[in-house]
């Protein structure tokens, strides 16, 4: 369900701080088991994170509900929107999500650049994660005063080209229209699923009721590597 | 035949095909003639690390030459290891160690595979050479 990039950093955080990582179980269809999620939450929960859409299964997670429940126990929520962003428009304010991330390269943009949305109150509280030029108001050898948002998080010369290219990619996607993209993809997903299921021995992983255009499958008796190479 | 000659033969064979579908088919065919590893050697220790599919390789010294046997659970990978073994098996460890591996680039295999798969290919070559190094020290 989760991408390594939304697991490994948290494991590193647990190692550093002694925090405990708990995993929301998933059912056979590839959907989070929401009853179990509710059970896992407690006043000790600091942060809840999951993806909006699973890149492996296509499942669209019920993030509005996930966020509401987490806030109910005072936990913050980070949603990994890398797979969702090209397919679904997330209204971060309506969702009341604390953090939402996505990667430019999943939206026709360049590699190595992305978006971290964070509520201003959170971003103000967070210390800079890197030090360098451009992120300061004043520096003496005794003390440094950090600049305001967003400069506080932008140490050094930024990836200017990446930012401009990402902007162009987003303009391009808006020109086509996210609604039209989603509609066409839904059509393709239905058609591809129907046609694939005609192949004998083919098994689809991820059959959530609410899913986007990702189909993971195996064909009985054939190594996935071979299918991947021939189709690739 | 010397390694260099075998490699040239392989390059010639691959240049006869117009597209990759045909080349893959040929690789699958070559996989069928792979000298299969004895089931007893199909252990986790003999799996080449860094490949997405499982590849087992075993090496044995016969007289002064190193003989490789192998298998894989994916048929294209089996074809790839078959090509490598055809080039490097039945050769003196010293010659295997010193052999160039450009022929892989010349048949275009590496650039046609995805980066993770190309890494798997490099791991296979490395493993065959490591066997040669290990046996070379035994000979001395
Ligand atoms: C759900 C999801 N999260 C995270 C990532 C990783 O993004 P990045 O490589 O930009 O960190 C991806 C895909 O690349 C993804 O599909």
């Amino acid at each position: 369900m989760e991408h390594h990039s939304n697991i490994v950093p948290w494991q590193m955080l647990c190692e550093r701080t002694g925090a405990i990582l708990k995993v929301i179980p998933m059912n056979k269809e590839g959907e989070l088991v929401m009853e179990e999620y509710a059970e896992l939450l407690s006043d000790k929960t600091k942060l809840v994170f999951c993806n909006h859409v699973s890149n492996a299964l296509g499942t669209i997670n019920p993030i509005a509900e996930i966020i509401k429940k987490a806030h109910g126990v005072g936990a913050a929520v980070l949603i990994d929107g890398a797979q969702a962003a090209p397919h679904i428009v997330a209204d971060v304010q309506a969702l009341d999500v604390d953090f939402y991330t996505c990667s430019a390269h999943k939206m026709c943009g360049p590699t190595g650049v992305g978006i971290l949305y964070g509520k201003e109150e959170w971003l103000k509280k967070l210390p800079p994660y890197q030090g360098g030029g451009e992120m300061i108001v004043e520096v003496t050898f005794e003390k440094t005063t950090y600049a305001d948002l967003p400069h506080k998080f932008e140490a050094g010369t930024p990836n200017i080209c990446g930012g401009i290219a990402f902007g162009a990619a987003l303009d391009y996607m808006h020109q086509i229209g996210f609604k039209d993209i989603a509609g066409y993809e839904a059509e393709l997903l239905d058609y591809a699923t129907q046609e694939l299921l005609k192949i004998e021995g083919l098994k689809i992983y991820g059959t959530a009721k609410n899913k986007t255009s990702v189909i993971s499958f195996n064909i009985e008796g054939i190594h996935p590597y071979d299918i991947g190479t021939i189709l690739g | 035949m010397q390694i260099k000659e075998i490699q040239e033969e392989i390059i010639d064979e691959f240049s006869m095909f117009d597209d990759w579908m045909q080349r893959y088919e040929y690789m699958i065919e070559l996989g069928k003639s792979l000298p299969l590893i004895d089931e007893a050697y199909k252990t986790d220790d003999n799996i080449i690390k860094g490949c997405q599919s499982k590849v087992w390789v075993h090496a044995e010294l016969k007289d002064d030459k190193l003989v490789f046997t192998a298998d894989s659970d994916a048929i294209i990978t089996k074809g790839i290891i078959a090509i490598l073994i055809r080039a490097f098996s039945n050769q003196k460890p010293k010659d295997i160690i010193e052999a160039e591996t450009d022929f892989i680039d010349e048949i275009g295999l590496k650039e046609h595979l995805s980066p993770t798969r190309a890494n798997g290919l490099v791991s296979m070559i490395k493993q065959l050479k490591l066997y040669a190094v290990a046996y070379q020290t035994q000979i001395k």
Side-chain angles (χ1 to χ4, degrees):
Chain A
M1 167 76 82
E2 291 300 325
H3 191 279
H4 291 161
S5 63
N6 201 18
I7 302 174
V8 181
W10 307 118
Q11 286 175 333
M12 290 161 78
L13 179 87
C14 288
E15 259 177 45
R16 225 168 50 225
T17 63
I20 297 166
L21 183 69
K22 294 190 174 169
V23 181
I24 310 168
M26 165 176 100
N27 65 20
K28 272 218 301 277
E29 286 70 40
E31 298 164 315
L32 294 176
V33 184
M34 292 301 282
E35 298 78 34
E36 305 233 14
Y37 165 55
E39 304 255 313
L40 285 173
L41 286 173
S42 78
D43 55 0
K44 283 195 195 157
T45 313
K46 291 274 187 270
L47 178 73
V48 171
F49 55 91
C50 69
N51 53 37
H52 189 173
V53 169
S54 163
N55 64 304
L57 303 169
T59 309
I60 304 173
N61 285 317
I63 58 167
E65 194 186 335
I66 289 171
I67 294 164
K68 221 175 176 173
K69 286 222 167 85
H71 285 170
V73 297
V77 181
L78 180 143
I79 300 293
D80 167 8
Q83 181 67 32
H87 310 284
I88 301 172
V89 177
D91 182 340
V92 287
Q93 284 170 332
L95 284 165
D96 197 30
V97 65
D98 300 282
F99 300 98
Y100 193 96
T101 61
C102 42
S103 303
H105 73 90
K106 307 274 276 194
M107 308 181 77
C108 309
T111 53
V113 61
I115 294 175
L116 166 66
Y117 162 84
K119 279 188 189 164
E120 197 173 351
E121 53 183 280
W122 271 113
L123 297 179
K124 276 193 173 139
K125 263 194 264 179
L126 290 175
Y129 74 106
Q130 276 183 331
E134 315 283 338
M135 49 125 16
I136 36 69
V137 177
E138 196 185 313
V139 179
T140 65
F141 281 112
E142 285 72 42
K143 189 179 161 49
T144 292
T145 315
Y146 301 128
D148 279 342
L149 292 170
H151 308 288
K152 186 170 89 171
F153 295 114
E154 296 183 354
T157 307
N159 181 1
I160 298 167
C161 301
I164 294 172
F166 189 12
L170 286 177
D171 286 344
Y172 169 73
M173 291 196 72
H174 274 296
Q175 237 172 41
I176 302 173
F178 279 87
K179 261 219 179 83
D180 287 347
I181 294 175
Y184 186 51
E185 282 176 347
E187 227 174 88
L188 285 178
L189 175 66
D190 277 349
Y191 177 60
T193 306
Q194 263 174 39
E195 292 298 310
L196 280 171
L197 286 174
K198 288 183 189 164
I199 298 171
E200 211 177 309
L202 185 136
K203 181 171 175 356
I204 290 179
Y205 300 93
T207 49
K209 282 175 282 307
N210 207 5
K211 74 177 272 188
T212 58
S213 45
V214 171
I215 304 178
S216 292
F217 64 90
N218 253 331
I219 299 177
E220 210 181 320
I222 309 181
H223 198 285
Y225 172 97
D226 290 323
I227 299 174
T229 306
I230 301 285
L231 293 178
Chain B
M1 252 201 297
Q2 286 192 330
I3 296 180
K4 186 86 198 144
E5 290 167 347
I6 303 173
Q7 292 183 347
E8 257 150 34
E9 204 178 74
I10 296 172
I11 294 170
D12 275 350
E13 286 167 18
F14 270 82
S15 68
M16 292 188 311
F17 302 107
D18 304 324
D19 65 49
W20 272 94
M21 237 8 166
Q22 292 176 355
R23 287 192 191 112
Y24 282 135
E25 261 173 50
Y26 186 57
M27 278 157 66
I28 292 168
E29 274 312 304
L30 290 176
K32 291 179 186 160
S33 60
L34 169 71
L36 280 182
I37 185 169
D38 192 303
E39 284 296 322
Y41 294 124
K42 263 189 170 181
T43 58
D44 286 354
D45 283 347
N46 286 332
I47 290 180
I48 297 182
K49 295 190 180 59
C51 295
Q52 286 192 322
S53 45
K54 286 186 182 155
V55 185
W56 298 266
V57 173
H58 174 70
E60 230 169 81
L61 209 54
K62 287 205 176 124
D63 301 322
D64 59 345
K65 289 185 176 153
L66 203 53
V67 176
F68 291 109
T69 52
D71 200 1
S72 170
D73 58 349
I75 51 177
I76 292 174
T77 318
K78 201 165 157 177
I80 295 175
I81 190 72
I83 293 170
L84 296 179
I85 284 188
R86 182 166 145 207
F88 294 118
S89 195
N90 260 316
Q91 301 287 342
K92 291 188 179 135
K94 183 172 174 295
D95 294 338
I96 298 171
I97 296 167
E98 287 170 1
E100 306 269 355
T101 55
D102 303 354
F103 78 111
I104 292 297
D105 296 323
E106 275 189 57
I107 57 180
L109 192 52
K110 207 149 86 191
E111 64 187 273
H112 204 80
L113 297 173
S114 70
T116 30
R117 287 165 193 174
N119 284 343
L121 173 60
V122 173
S123 305
M124 287 187 225
I125 296 174
K126 223 191 241 165
Q127 190 59 40
L128 298 185
K129 290 210 169 211
L130 277 176
Y131 272 121
V133 171
Y135 279 98
Q136 175 72 3
T137 50
Q138 271 185 26
I139 291 173
K140 275 187 209 156

